[in-house]
Short mmCIF file of all heavy atoms in Angstrom, two decimals:
data_model
loop_
_atom_site.label_atom_id
_atom_site.label_comp_id
_atom_site.label_asym_id
_atom_site.label_seq_id
_atom_site.Cartn_x
_atom_site.Cartn_y
_atom_site.Cartn_z
N ALA B 1 -160.46 -69.99 92.67
CA ALA B 1 -160.04 -71.40 92.63
C ALA B 1 -158.53 -71.53 92.52
O ALA B 1 -157.93 -72.44 93.09
CB ALA B 1 -160.72 -72.09 91.45
N ARG B 2 -157.91 -70.62 91.81
CA ARG B 2 -156.46 -70.71 91.55
C ARG B 2 -155.63 -70.08 92.67
O ARG B 2 -154.57 -70.58 93.01
CB ARG B 2 -156.14 -70.00 90.23
CG ARG B 2 -154.76 -70.24 89.69
CD ARG B 2 -154.60 -71.67 89.20
NE ARG B 2 -153.33 -71.85 88.51
CZ ARG B 2 -152.16 -72.06 89.12
NH1 ARG B 2 -152.11 -72.12 90.44
NH2 ARG B 2 -151.07 -72.22 88.43
N LEU B 3 -156.12 -68.96 93.24
CA LEU B 3 -155.33 -68.20 94.20
C LEU B 3 -155.83 -68.33 95.63
O LEU B 3 -155.10 -67.98 96.56
CB LEU B 3 -155.33 -66.71 93.82
CG LEU B 3 -154.87 -66.37 92.41
CD1 LEU B 3 -155.02 -64.88 92.16
CD2 LEU B 3 -153.44 -66.80 92.18
N GLY B 4 -157.08 -68.78 95.80
CA GLY B 4 -157.68 -68.81 97.13
C GLY B 4 -158.67 -67.67 97.28
O GLY B 4 -158.36 -66.53 96.93
N LYS B 5 -159.85 -67.98 97.78
CA LYS B 5 -160.91 -66.97 97.82
C LYS B 5 -160.55 -65.78 98.70
O LYS B 5 -160.97 -64.66 98.44
CB LYS B 5 -162.22 -67.60 98.29
CG LYS B 5 -163.41 -66.67 98.10
CD LYS B 5 -164.73 -67.36 98.26
CE LYS B 5 -165.87 -66.41 97.93
NZ LYS B 5 -167.19 -67.07 98.04
N GLY B 6 -159.77 -66.01 99.74
CA GLY B 6 -159.39 -64.93 100.62
C GLY B 6 -158.55 -63.85 99.96
O GLY B 6 -158.44 -62.74 100.48
N ARG B 7 -157.99 -64.18 98.79
CA ARG B 7 -157.13 -63.22 98.09
C ARG B 7 -157.87 -62.45 97.00
O ARG B 7 -157.27 -61.59 96.34
CB ARG B 7 -155.95 -63.95 97.43
CG ARG B 7 -154.91 -64.45 98.41
CD ARG B 7 -153.82 -65.19 97.67
NE ARG B 7 -153.07 -64.33 96.75
CZ ARG B 7 -152.20 -64.78 95.85
NH1 ARG B 7 -151.99 -66.09 95.74
NH2 ARG B 7 -151.55 -63.95 95.07
N VAL B 8 -159.15 -62.73 96.80
CA VAL B 8 -159.87 -62.17 95.65
C VAL B 8 -161.06 -61.33 96.10
O VAL B 8 -161.92 -61.81 96.85
CB VAL B 8 -160.35 -63.28 94.70
CG1 VAL B 8 -161.08 -62.69 93.51
CG2 VAL B 8 -159.17 -64.14 94.24
N ARG B 9 -161.12 -60.10 95.63
CA ARG B 9 -162.27 -59.22 95.82
C ARG B 9 -162.60 -58.58 94.47
O ARG B 9 -161.80 -58.65 93.54
CB ARG B 9 -161.98 -58.16 96.89
CG ARG B 9 -161.65 -58.79 98.25
CD ARG B 9 -161.37 -57.76 99.32
NE ARG B 9 -161.00 -58.41 100.58
CZ ARG B 9 -160.69 -57.75 101.68
NH1 ARG B 9 -160.72 -56.41 101.70
NH2 ARG B 9 -160.37 -58.40 102.79
N ILE B 10 -163.77 -57.98 94.38
CA ILE B 10 -164.24 -57.45 93.09
C ILE B 10 -164.49 -55.95 93.18
O ILE B 10 -165.10 -55.47 94.14
CB ILE B 10 -165.55 -58.16 92.66
CG1 ILE B 10 -165.34 -59.66 92.53
CG2 ILE B 10 -166.06 -57.58 91.33
CD1 ILE B 10 -166.61 -60.44 92.25
N ILE B 11 -164.00 -55.23 92.18
CA ILE B 11 -164.35 -53.82 92.01
C ILE B 11 -165.46 -53.75 90.97
O ILE B 11 -165.25 -54.06 89.80
CB ILE B 11 -163.14 -52.98 91.56
CG1 ILE B 11 -162.08 -52.96 92.67
CG2 ILE B 11 -163.58 -51.56 91.22
CD1 ILE B 11 -160.83 -52.20 92.30
N ALA B 12 -166.66 -53.38 91.41
CA ALA B 12 -167.82 -53.27 90.53
C ALA B 12 -167.93 -51.83 90.05
O ALA B 12 -168.02 -50.91 90.85
CB ALA B 12 -169.09 -53.68 91.27
N GLU B 13 -167.91 -51.66 88.74
CA GLU B 13 -167.98 -50.32 88.17
C GLU B 13 -169.42 -49.79 88.26
O GLU B 13 -170.31 -50.32 87.62
CB GLU B 13 -167.49 -50.35 86.73
CG GLU B 13 -166.01 -50.72 86.65
CD GLU B 13 -165.50 -50.99 85.25
OE1 GLU B 13 -166.33 -51.11 84.32
OE2 GLU B 13 -164.27 -51.08 85.07
N ALA B 14 -169.61 -48.77 89.09
CA ALA B 14 -170.94 -48.21 89.33
C ALA B 14 -171.27 -47.10 88.34
O ALA B 14 -172.06 -46.21 88.63
CB ALA B 14 -171.03 -47.67 90.76
N PHE B 15 -170.67 -47.18 87.16
CA PHE B 15 -170.92 -46.21 86.10
C PHE B 15 -171.17 -46.97 84.81
O PHE B 15 -170.95 -48.18 84.70
CB PHE B 15 -169.72 -45.27 85.93
CG PHE B 15 -168.44 -45.98 85.59
CD1 PHE B 15 -168.13 -46.30 84.27
CD2 PHE B 15 -167.53 -46.33 86.57
CE1 PHE B 15 -166.95 -46.97 83.94
CE2 PHE B 15 -166.35 -47.01 86.26
CZ PHE B 15 -166.07 -47.32 84.94
N ARG B 16 -171.63 -46.24 83.79
CA ARG B 16 -171.80 -46.82 82.47
C ARG B 16 -171.30 -45.82 81.43
O ARG B 16 -171.59 -44.62 81.52
CB ARG B 16 -173.28 -47.15 82.20
CG ARG B 16 -173.87 -48.24 83.09
CD ARG B 16 -173.21 -49.58 82.85
NE ARG B 16 -173.82 -50.64 83.64
CZ ARG B 16 -173.44 -50.98 84.87
NH1 ARG B 16 -172.45 -50.32 85.47
NH2 ARG B 16 -174.05 -51.96 85.51
N LEU B 17 -170.56 -46.35 80.46
CA LEU B 17 -170.10 -45.54 79.35
C LEU B 17 -171.29 -45.28 78.44
O LEU B 17 -172.00 -46.20 78.02
CB LEU B 17 -169.00 -46.27 78.58
CG LEU B 17 -168.40 -45.55 77.37
CD1 LEU B 17 -167.72 -44.26 77.81
CD2 LEU B 17 -167.41 -46.47 76.66
N GLN B 18 -171.54 -44.01 78.15
CA GLN B 18 -172.65 -43.62 77.30
C GLN B 18 -172.14 -42.60 76.29
O GLN B 18 -171.91 -41.44 76.63
CB GLN B 18 -173.78 -43.02 78.14
CG GLN B 18 -175.04 -42.71 77.36
CD GLN B 18 -176.21 -42.40 78.28
OE1 GLN B 18 -176.78 -43.30 78.90
NE2 GLN B 18 -176.56 -41.13 78.38
N GLY B 19 -171.93 -43.06 75.07
CA GLY B 19 -171.28 -42.20 74.09
C GLY B 19 -169.84 -41.99 74.48
O GLY B 19 -169.09 -42.95 74.69
N HIS B 20 -169.45 -40.72 74.63
CA HIS B 20 -168.09 -40.40 75.05
C HIS B 20 -168.04 -39.99 76.51
O HIS B 20 -167.00 -39.53 76.99
CB HIS B 20 -167.52 -39.28 74.17
CG HIS B 20 -167.41 -39.65 72.72
ND1 HIS B 20 -166.51 -40.58 72.26
CD2 HIS B 20 -168.11 -39.23 71.63
CE1 HIS B 20 -166.63 -40.71 70.94
NE2 HIS B 20 -167.60 -39.91 70.54
N ASN B 21 -169.14 -40.14 77.22
CA ASN B 21 -169.21 -39.71 78.61
C ASN B 21 -169.59 -40.88 79.52
O ASN B 21 -169.93 -41.97 79.05
CB ASN B 21 -170.24 -38.58 78.76
CG ASN B 21 -169.87 -37.36 77.93
OD1 ASN B 21 -168.76 -36.87 78.02
ND2 ASN B 21 -170.80 -36.89 77.12
N PHE B 22 -169.57 -40.62 80.79
CA PHE B 22 -169.94 -41.63 81.78
C PHE B 22 -171.13 -41.14 82.58
O PHE B 22 -171.25 -39.96 82.87
CB PHE B 22 -168.77 -41.93 82.73
CG PHE B 22 -167.60 -42.56 82.05
CD1 PHE B 22 -166.52 -41.79 81.62
CD2 PHE B 22 -167.55 -43.93 81.85
CE1 PHE B 22 -165.44 -42.37 80.99
CE2 PHE B 22 -166.46 -44.53 81.23
CZ PHE B 22 -165.41 -43.74 80.79
N ARG B 23 -172.00 -42.07 82.94
CA ARG B 23 -173.14 -41.77 83.80
C ARG B 23 -173.16 -42.80 84.94
O ARG B 23 -172.52 -43.85 84.87
CB ARG B 23 -174.44 -41.87 83.02
CG ARG B 23 -174.73 -43.26 82.45
CD ARG B 23 -176.16 -43.40 81.98
NE ARG B 23 -176.40 -44.69 81.32
CZ ARG B 23 -176.66 -45.83 81.96
NH1 ARG B 23 -176.70 -45.86 83.30
NH2 ARG B 23 -176.89 -46.96 81.28
N SER B 24 -173.91 -42.50 85.97
CA SER B 24 -174.10 -43.47 87.04
C SER B 24 -174.91 -44.64 86.52
O SER B 24 -175.78 -44.50 85.67
CB SER B 24 -174.84 -42.82 88.21
OG SER B 24 -174.07 -41.81 88.81
N ALA B 25 -174.65 -45.82 87.03
CA ALA B 25 -175.50 -46.97 86.75
C ALA B 25 -176.89 -46.70 87.31
O ALA B 25 -177.05 -45.96 88.29
CB ALA B 25 -174.91 -48.23 87.38
N THR B 26 -177.89 -47.30 86.70
CA THR B 26 -179.23 -47.20 87.25
C THR B 26 -179.34 -48.19 88.42
O THR B 26 -178.51 -49.08 88.60
CB THR B 26 -180.30 -47.53 86.21
OG1 THR B 26 -180.15 -48.92 85.83
CG2 THR B 26 -180.15 -46.66 84.97
N ALA B 27 -180.41 -48.03 89.20
CA ALA B 27 -180.63 -48.94 90.31
C ALA B 27 -180.76 -50.38 89.82
O ALA B 27 -180.22 -51.31 90.41
CB ALA B 27 -181.86 -48.52 91.10
N ALA B 28 -181.47 -50.57 88.71
CA ALA B 28 -181.65 -51.93 88.17
C ALA B 28 -180.33 -52.50 87.72
O ALA B 28 -180.04 -53.68 87.97
CB ALA B 28 -182.64 -51.88 87.00
N GLU B 29 -179.51 -51.70 87.05
CA GLU B 29 -178.19 -52.18 86.59
C GLU B 29 -177.31 -52.55 87.78
O GLU B 29 -176.63 -53.59 87.77
CB GLU B 29 -177.52 -51.10 85.74
CG GLU B 29 -178.17 -50.88 84.39
CD GLU B 29 -177.66 -49.64 83.68
OE1 GLU B 29 -177.16 -48.71 84.37
OE2 GLU B 29 -177.77 -49.59 82.44
N LEU B 30 -177.33 -51.71 88.79
CA LEU B 30 -176.46 -51.95 89.94
C LEU B 30 -176.91 -53.16 90.74
O LEU B 30 -176.08 -53.97 91.19
CB LEU B 30 -176.43 -50.71 90.83
CG LEU B 30 -175.27 -50.58 91.80
CD1 LEU B 30 -173.93 -50.68 91.09
CD2 LEU B 30 -175.36 -49.26 92.56
N LYS B 31 -178.22 -53.33 90.89
CA LYS B 31 -178.73 -54.49 91.62
C LYS B 31 -178.33 -55.79 90.91
O LYS B 31 -177.93 -56.76 91.55
CB LYS B 31 -180.26 -54.40 91.73
CG LYS B 31 -180.76 -53.34 92.68
CD LYS B 31 -180.84 -53.84 94.11
CE LYS B 31 -182.04 -54.73 94.31
NZ LYS B 31 -182.26 -55.05 95.73
N GLU B 32 -178.44 -55.80 89.59
CA GLU B 32 -178.07 -56.99 88.82
C GLU B 32 -176.58 -57.30 88.99
O GLU B 32 -176.19 -58.46 89.16
CB GLU B 32 -178.41 -56.79 87.35
CG GLU B 32 -178.03 -57.97 86.46
CD GLU B 32 -178.30 -57.70 84.99
OE1 GLU B 32 -178.59 -56.55 84.64
OE2 GLU B 32 -178.20 -58.65 84.19
N GLN B 33 -175.78 -56.26 88.98
CA GLN B 33 -174.34 -56.41 89.12
C GLN B 33 -173.98 -56.99 90.49
O GLN B 33 -173.23 -57.96 90.59
CB GLN B 33 -173.71 -55.02 88.97
CG GLN B 33 -172.33 -54.96 88.40
CD GLN B 33 -171.95 -53.52 88.09
OE1 GLN B 33 -172.80 -52.62 88.04
NE2 GLN B 33 -170.67 -53.28 87.89
N LEU B 34 -174.55 -56.41 91.53
CA LEU B 34 -174.23 -56.86 92.88
C LEU B 34 -174.73 -58.28 93.14
O LEU B 34 -174.07 -59.06 93.82
CB LEU B 34 -174.83 -55.88 93.91
CG LEU B 34 -174.22 -54.47 93.90
CD1 LEU B 34 -174.95 -53.58 94.89
CD2 LEU B 34 -172.74 -54.51 94.19
N ALA B 35 -175.88 -58.60 92.58
CA ALA B 35 -176.43 -59.95 92.77
C ALA B 35 -175.50 -61.00 92.16
O ALA B 35 -175.37 -62.11 92.69
CB ALA B 35 -177.81 -60.04 92.15
N ALA B 36 -174.85 -60.65 91.05
CA ALA B 36 -173.95 -61.61 90.37
C ALA B 36 -172.72 -61.92 91.21
O ALA B 36 -172.11 -62.98 91.04
CB ALA B 36 -173.53 -61.04 89.02
N TYR B 37 -172.36 -61.02 92.13
CA TYR B 37 -171.13 -61.19 92.89
C TYR B 37 -171.37 -61.68 94.31
O TYR B 37 -170.48 -61.60 95.16
CB TYR B 37 -170.35 -59.87 92.92
CG TYR B 37 -170.10 -59.26 91.56
CD1 TYR B 37 -170.03 -57.89 91.39
CD2 TYR B 37 -169.94 -60.07 90.44
CE1 TYR B 37 -169.80 -57.34 90.14
CE2 TYR B 37 -169.72 -59.53 89.19
CZ TYR B 37 -169.66 -58.16 89.05
OH TYR B 37 -169.45 -57.60 87.80
N LYS B 38 -172.54 -62.19 94.57
CA LYS B 38 -172.87 -62.65 95.92
C LYS B 38 -171.83 -63.65 96.40
O LYS B 38 -171.45 -64.57 95.68
CB LYS B 38 -174.25 -63.30 95.91
CG LYS B 38 -174.74 -63.69 97.30
CD LYS B 38 -176.16 -64.23 97.26
CE LYS B 38 -176.64 -64.61 98.65
NZ LYS B 38 -178.04 -65.13 98.62
N GLY B 39 -171.38 -63.45 97.63
CA GLY B 39 -170.36 -64.31 98.21
C GLY B 39 -168.96 -63.74 98.17
O GLY B 39 -168.07 -64.24 98.85
N PHE B 40 -168.76 -62.67 97.36
CA PHE B 40 -167.47 -61.99 97.29
C PHE B 40 -167.55 -60.63 97.98
O PHE B 40 -168.62 -60.01 98.00
CB PHE B 40 -167.03 -61.77 95.84
CG PHE B 40 -166.46 -63.00 95.18
CD1 PHE B 40 -167.28 -63.85 94.46
CD2 PHE B 40 -165.11 -63.29 95.28
CE1 PHE B 40 -166.77 -64.98 93.85
CE2 PHE B 40 -164.58 -64.42 94.67
CZ PHE B 40 -165.42 -65.27 93.95
N SER B 41 -166.44 -60.17 98.50
CA SER B 41 -166.35 -58.78 98.95
C SER B 41 -166.32 -57.88 97.72
O SER B 41 -165.53 -58.12 96.80
CB SER B 41 -165.09 -58.57 99.80
OG SER B 41 -165.17 -59.29 101.01
N VAL B 42 -167.17 -56.85 97.72
CA VAL B 42 -167.33 -56.00 96.53
C VAL B 42 -167.12 -54.54 96.92
O VAL B 42 -167.59 -54.09 97.97
CB VAL B 42 -168.73 -56.18 95.92
CG1 VAL B 42 -168.91 -55.28 94.70
CG2 VAL B 42 -168.97 -57.64 95.54
N TYR B 43 -166.42 -53.82 96.05
CA TYR B 43 -166.22 -52.39 96.22
C TYR B 43 -166.82 -51.68 95.01
O TYR B 43 -166.54 -52.08 93.86
CB TYR B 43 -164.73 -52.05 96.31
CG TYR B 43 -164.03 -52.72 97.47
CD1 TYR B 43 -163.61 -54.05 97.38
CD2 TYR B 43 -163.83 -52.04 98.66
CE1 TYR B 43 -163.00 -54.68 98.44
CE2 TYR B 43 -163.21 -52.66 99.73
CZ TYR B 43 -162.79 -53.98 99.62
OH TYR B 43 -162.20 -54.61 100.67
N LEU B 44 -167.62 -50.65 95.24
CA LEU B 44 -168.21 -49.90 94.13
C LEU B 44 -167.28 -48.78 93.71
O LEU B 44 -166.81 -48.00 94.55
CB LEU B 44 -169.56 -49.29 94.55
CG LEU B 44 -170.72 -50.27 94.78
CD1 LEU B 44 -171.98 -49.49 95.17
CD2 LEU B 44 -170.97 -51.10 93.53
#
C-alpha cells in the first residue's frame, strides 16, 4: 500500500528453528505459509 505492489515480494522461510538447529518445514507448514501469501511473488 505504501510503496506499490510491484516493488514488494516475499521471502518465505522454508525452515523451522528447532532447539539450536534448523530443519525443513513440513509440507503442512509450507502449504499454510504459501497460502497466506497468495497474490504476491514468493521466494522460498
Side-chain angles (χ1 to χ4, degrees):
R2 192 70 172 81
L3 305 176
K5 191 167 185 178
R7 288 178 64 190
V8 181
R9 300 180 183 180
I10 301 174
I11 295 178
E13 295 171 348
F15 60 85
R16 295 295 184 270
L17 180 62
Q18 186 168 286
H20 297 291
N21 299 308
F22 295 96
R23 62 166 175 82
S24 295
T26 65
E29 290 169 336
L30 199 55
K31 288 274 284 189
E32 179 183 10
Q33 210 170 345
L34 294 177
Y37 307 148
K38 186 176 181 180
F40 281 92
S41 294
V42 179
Y43 300 81
L44 291 181

